[in-house]
Amino acid sequence: MNVITNHMPTQDLQRLDAAHHMHPFTAGSELAEKGARVITQAKGVTLTDSEGVHILDAMAGLWCVNIGYGRDELAEAAARQMRELPYYNTFFQTTHVPVIALSAKLAELAPRDLNHVFYAGSGSEANDTNIRLVRHYWAQKGQPNRNIIISRKNAYHGSTLGGGSLGGMSGMQNQGCPVIPDIHHIDQPNWWSEGGDLSPEDFGLERARQLETAIHDLGPDRVGAFIAEPVQGAGGVIVPPSTYWPEIQRICDEYGILLIADEVICGFGRTGHLFGSEYYGIRPHIMTIAKGLSSGYAPIGGSLVCDEVAQVINDGGDFNHGYTYSGHPVSCAVALENLRILEEEKIVETVHDTTGPYLAEKWNALTDHPLVGEAKIVGMMGSLALTPHKASRAAFKSPVGTVGLHCRGKCFGNGLIMRHVGDRMIISPPLVINTSEIDTLIDRAVQSLDETYDLIRAEGLYEPA
Ligand SMILES: *Cc1c(COP(=O)(O)O)cnc(C)c1O
C-alpha cells in the first residue's frame, strides 16, 4: 500500500477521503463533490491546510482546544504514559496512578461536594452514564418510577442514542432519535427567536417555569432529573436571560430533583470561570465534562458526581456500567497536564480579566453592522443573530440557515473559522487567544459580514419572512 502523507496533492487526499471516509454531521455526497478541506497542522489559534493557507480557528476545533494547538507538554505527557502503562482498565478492583491523580485534581477544582468522577470516552458517553446514574440512584432510594429526565428543545447532549435522546435538536430528532423512553423536553430560553413581546427577564422566568409545569403534569414522584447546558452551545450560543437559572435552581430545590449541568463546553474556563455553574451560581448534583478537560488532545469525558449521589450508587452493589476506555491512562495523563497548564498560566483568569472583556467590547460593537440584530457573549463563547430587520427581530424569508451558510463560506474565504447555527454566527476560540489575534478575528468577521450583506442583497435574500 502507498503511504498517504501530508505531501500528497490535495485533490488526491480529497478523492480518497470522499471514497472511504464518512463524515459526521455532513451531507456526504455533497461534500464528495466539493472536496473536504484538509487540515495538516496547527499552532496556537491558527490552522494550516494542505495548500499552506492559514486560518484563524475561532471555534477551537469543536469548542475544545482551550489551551490552543501545538503544546509539546501534552505530547510529552502522552508519550511518557504510553511508555510506562499505555492501557489498563479499572473494572475489576484495579486502578492506576493517572486516574487517581486526575480524579483527585477534578475533585479539588470542582465546586462544592462534586468529589467523585465516573469516566467515559466522550461527552456523549458521559451523558449516557448520567441517564443510568440518575435512574439507578432513584431505584436505590426506593423510587424506581422516578425515571423521567427533563431536558430542553434545541439542547445538545451528544450523538449516542442516550445523548441524542436527551438532546433536542430538530435535525437529529427525525433520524432515529429520541429512542430512550421517559425523556421530556421543555422549551429553550432563546429570547431573540421566541421571546415575542416579553422582556428578556419575563421571558426567562416563563421558560424556567415550564419546568415546574412539566413536573406537575408528569408527576413530582416521576421526575428524577433536569439536564441543561449553562449556555447552550451547539444550539447557537443561546445565553439565557438573567432570571432563568435562579428560577430553575429554585424549582429543582423545591421538588428535590437532581440537576445535571452539561458543562462539556462551558467547563474548564470557557465562560471566564472554571465552570459555567459558577458563572450562573447554580448547584448541580452532576456535571458532564469532556472537550476542554483535555483541550481535545486526547478523548476523555466524565460525570462529576456529588457526595450524596455517589454514596447511594456506591452502596448499591455492583453498578453494571462502564467503558473499556473509562479512565484511560493516556487520556488521564494528558488531561492532568492540560489542567496544570490551565492553572499555572492563569488562562481562565486572563479570559475573565483581560481578553474576555476585550473581545466582548468588540463583539458587542458588531451590532452596528446592518445584518447583526443581537450580539451575545460570555467569556470566550459568542453569537450573532443575523436579521433583515432588527427592530422586529425578523427571520429571513429564505429557508433558515441560508444566510448563515453564506456567511460561514465568506468567513472560510477570509481565513476565519466561524460556525453558523441556522442564521446565527457563533465563535468559541481557544482561551489563549490574545488581543492582537482578537483584532484579526473581528476584522475578518466584519469583512465577511460585509461580503455576506452585499451577496444577499444582490441575490434578493435580504428579505424578512
Ligand atoms: C459536544 C457536546 C457533547 C458531546 O460530547 P462528545 O465528546 O462529542 O460526545 C455533549 N454535551 C455538550 C453540551 C456538547 O457540547
Side-chain angles (χ1 to χ4, degrees):
M1 191 183 139
N2 291 329
V3 180
I4 298 172
T5 72
N6 275 354
H7 306 293
M8 280 176 75
T10 299
Q11 281 184 347
D12 292 354
L13 292 168
Q14 289 173 326
R15 186 175 43 75
L16 286 166
D17 184 72
H20 305 298
H21 174 204
M22 297 177 79
H23 287 246
F25 287 92
T26 298
S29 299
E30 208 180 295
L31 177 65
E33 192 99 332
K34 238 171 105 182
R37 190 185 279 245
V38 183
I39 304 298
T40 52
Q41 287 174 47
K43 182 91 193 159
V45 302
T46 306
L47 307 171
T48 306
D49 75 9
S50 54
E51 297 292 292
V53 176
H54 297 304
I55 312 157
L56 195 162
D57 182 9
M59 284 307 299
L62 281 176
W63 325 78
C64 54
V65 189
N66 288 3
I67 64 163
Y69 296 94
R71 292 295 302 243
D72 275 341
E73 301 93 322
L74 272 65
E76 291 303 327
R80 228 182 297 124
Q81 188 57 48
M82 280 196 192
R83 289 195 187 98
E84 195 171 300
L85 180 71
Y87 177 76
Y88 201 70
N89 72 78
T90 55
F91 277 36
F92 308 119
Q93 305 192 347
T94 55
T95 190
H96 53 70
V97 177
V99 81
I100 296 168
L102 181 61
S103 306
K105 186 71 205 172
L106 286 170
E108 175 199 319
L109 294 177
R112 302 176 6 268
D113 66 340
L114 295 166
N115 288 323
H116 313 268
V117 198
F118 195 103
Y119 289 98
S122 66
S124 303
E125 287 177 9
N127 278 327
D128 284 21
T129 296
N130 291 339
I131 295 173
R132 300 210 45 205
L133 275 175
V134 163
R135 291 182 174 173
H136 188 50
Y137 167 86
W138 285 114
Q140 288 302 310
K141 303 255 289 186
Q143 300 181 61
N145 289 329
R146 203 159 176 178
N147 60 348
I148 296 179
I149 301 175
I150 300 179
S151 179
R152 306 183 298 181
K153 293 173 191 163
N154 199 35
Y156 189 73
H157 296 300
S159 199
T160 52
L161 295 179
S165 297
L166 287 172
M169 308 205 82
S170 54
M172 295 171 71
Q173 295 294 303
N174 53 9
Q175 295 182 343
C177 276
V179 290
I180 310 287
D182 294 316
I183 291 174
H184 180 87
H185 293 85
I186 59 174
D187 287 320
Q188 59 174 337
N190 179 348
W191 177 79
W192 175 265
S193 300
E194 301 173 9
D197 295 333
L198 292 177
S199 69
E201 292 72 27
D202 287 347
F203 175 72
L205 279 179
E206 191 215 62
R207 285 289 153 103
R209 285 176 187 155
Q210 280 195 12
L211 176 60
E212 192 161 32
T213 307
I215 293 169
H216 279 293
D217 292 349
L218 298 161
D221 56 338
R222 291 288 326 278
V223 178
F226 174 67
I227 182 168
E229 305 151 82
V231 176
Q232 282 158 269
V237 185
I238 313 290
V239 179
S242 61
T243 47
Y244 183 76
W245 273 112
E247 186 67 358
I248 291 284
Q249 182 70 58
R250 176 193 70 76
I251 295 165
C252 289
D253 289 347
E254 191 165 324
Y255 295 88
I257 68 175
L258 298 177
L259 175 56
I260 307 170
D262 186 336
E263 295 263 6
V264 170
I265 288 175
C266 292
F268 306 103
R270 175 95 10 233
T271 66
H273 297 255
L274 201 50
F275 294 99
S277 297
E278 292 171 323
Y279 176 77
Y280 284 112
I282 53 179
R283 300 183 302 278
H285 301 88
I286 298 174
M287 290 194 332
T288 321
I289 55 174
K291 295 193 171 124
L293 170 56
S294 66
S295 284
Y297 281 61
I300 184 169
S303 307
L304 267 163
V305 182
C306 72
D307 287 342
E308 199 257 337
V309 173
Q311 191 69 52
V312 170
I313 299 290
N314 287 339
D315 289 345
D318 283 345
F319 180 42
N320 294 310
H321 177 70
Y323 310 102
T324 299
Y325 300 135
S326 288
H328 192 288
V330 176
S331 296
C332 288
V334 169
L336 261 174
E337 185 64 6
N338 174 61
L339 295 177
R340 183 191 67 75
I341 289 173
L342 203 67
E343 267 193 308
E344 286 187 10
E345 298 184 4
K346 302 202 180 310
I347 291 171
V348 185
E349 292 85 337
T350 302
V351 169
H352 183 273
D353 297 339
T354 316
T355 49
Y358 186 84
L359 173 62
E361 192 183 330
K362 305 212 158 211
W363 190 253
N364 289 328
L366 293 175
T367 49
D368 292 341
H369 194 279
L371 263 185
V372 177
E374 175 191 67
K376 283 288 183 190
I377 189 152
V378 172
M380 285 284 163
M381 58 195 301
S383 56
L384 302 173
L386 306 186
T387 178
H389 192 252
K390 298 186 193 206
S392 63
R393 313 203 303 271
F396 293 97
K397 203 161 101 187
S398 51
V400 176
T402 309
V403 174
L405 183 63
H406 277 308
C407 187
R408 189 189 72 176
K410 294 297 182 192
C411 291
F412 251 108
N414 289 316
L416 174 67
I417 296 205
M418 176 150 82
R419 216 167 115 180
H420 81 108
V421 177
D423 296 317
R424 289 179 88 83
M425 303 308 299
I426 61 176
I427 56 165
S428 167
L431 304 185
V432 294
I433 192 170
N434 63 32
T435 52
S436 86
E437 291 160 343
I438 289 171
D439 292 343
T440 304
L441 188 166
I442 296 291
D443 288 348
R444 292 180 187 175
V446 169
Q447 172 78 18
S448 306
L449 287 165
D450 286 347
E451 291 173 10
T452 305
Y453 183 63
D454 291 345
L455 175 87
I456 66 171
R457 279 168 53 105
E459 292 196 352
L461 293 170
Y462 190 64
E463 285 285 317

